[in-house]
Each structure stands twice: as structure tokens, then as C-alpha cells.
Amino acid sequence: MVDEVFLASPFCDARDVVQVEYEMVRRVRGDKVLVAQGARAFGHHRRAVYEIAAALDAGGPGTVVSGKPGPKGPTKLTDEVMGSVDAWRSTEPAIAALQLAARLRAEVGLVVHPRSIERPLVRRREPQGAVVRCP
């Protein structure tokens, strides 16, 4: 980003994506800066200006906020790996998570903490919408 007015302001934070995108659209619409110039000044492409402007028009600044940060799903215990775990548990229902972790390491080459195996197994046993109450 190279927009000098934005960077010079003590109020503006270049790390705040929502603020940067809002200010870019405001600069194009309010200050009548050319779309290409505004996009370039804020480190975006022209198309992004139009997309962000449409999102802001549709629902305000909250619509340009990214979703929850971090991983969106399991990286090690994929459906395929959990299928193997389920197969082992169907032949040995009493197999412990520690043993499952050892088997995953030996047969699949995957190092997983036993608790990481327990969590999805517990989630599968809980009925949808069940309320877990603390004693």
C-alpha cells in the first residue's frame, strides 16, 4: 500500500483490512479518484474495488471481514484417515486412542496425539444439538 494520506493518519491502521478496503472505496467514490489509481494506492486490482464496493453496499463493513481465522478443518485426521480409525474400531471396539495413535504412526506414518483422535470420536457420539452440562 502506498496511499500517503492513509499512511500519514494516526487514526488509520494499514494492518486493518476492513479499514483499508473501506477507505479505498471511500477514496474512489468520495474523493473521485480514478478506480485504477485508488486500487493501486491501496494495493488492490480494479476488480477488487468493484467487488468490495458491492459488498459494502450490500451489507456494510461487516461483509468485507474475513471468516474465522485459522484452519477450516482437520489437516491430519482427514475423512480417509478417520475411515481407517473407524475400521480398526469396528474390529476392536475397546481399542484405546493411545493404541490408535500408535497404529496410525506404524501403518500410515502419521504422528497424532491420542487426544486429537478422541475429540472427533466424542463429537460423533454426541447427538446433534445435545447440551453438555457441567456438574
Side-chain angles (χ1 to χ4, degrees):
M1 180 167 79
V2 295
D3 187 80
E4 292 167 9
V5 175
F6 184 89
L7 294 174
S9 171
F11 173 75
C12 297
D13 182 3
R15 295 169 298 178
D16 185 341
V17 176
V18 176
Q19 188 179 35
V20 169
E21 291 178 349
Y22 178 84
E23 182 60 21
M24 176 181 63
V25 172
R26 191 205 62 75
R27 188 71 46 84
V28 168
R29 288 181 172 172
D31 296 348
K32 306 294 186 207
V33 172
L34 295 173
V35 172
Q37 183 182 351
R40 195 172 32 257
F42 286 88
H44 285 283
H45 295 284
R46 281 186 31 225
R47 180 189 296 168
V49 174
Y50 296 114
E51 291 171 354
I52 294 165
L56 288 168
D57 291 342
T63 57
V64 295
V65 176
S66 299
K68 182 179 121 185
K72 306 301 184 247
T75 55
K76 289 184 177 182
L77 296 177
T78 61
D79 289 338
E80 182 181 344
V81 172
M82 287 307 292
S84 299
V85 169
D86 290 337
W88 297 330
R89 291 185 70 232
S90 68
T91 59
E92 300 175 58
I95 191 168
L98 185 64
Q99 295 165 313
L100 289 168
R103 192 173 287 181
L104 281 172
R105 184 178 201 153
E107 294 185 22
V108 184
L110 185 65
V111 179
V112 181
H113 192 277
R115 183 68 185 123
S116 295
I117 298 170
E118 290 172 353
R119 278 192 297 268
L121 295 175
V122 168
R123 277 194 296 267
R124 289 179 182 181
R125 285 193 300 249
E126 293 174 357
Q128 292 291 6
V131 176
V132 178
R133 297 185 189 269
C134 297

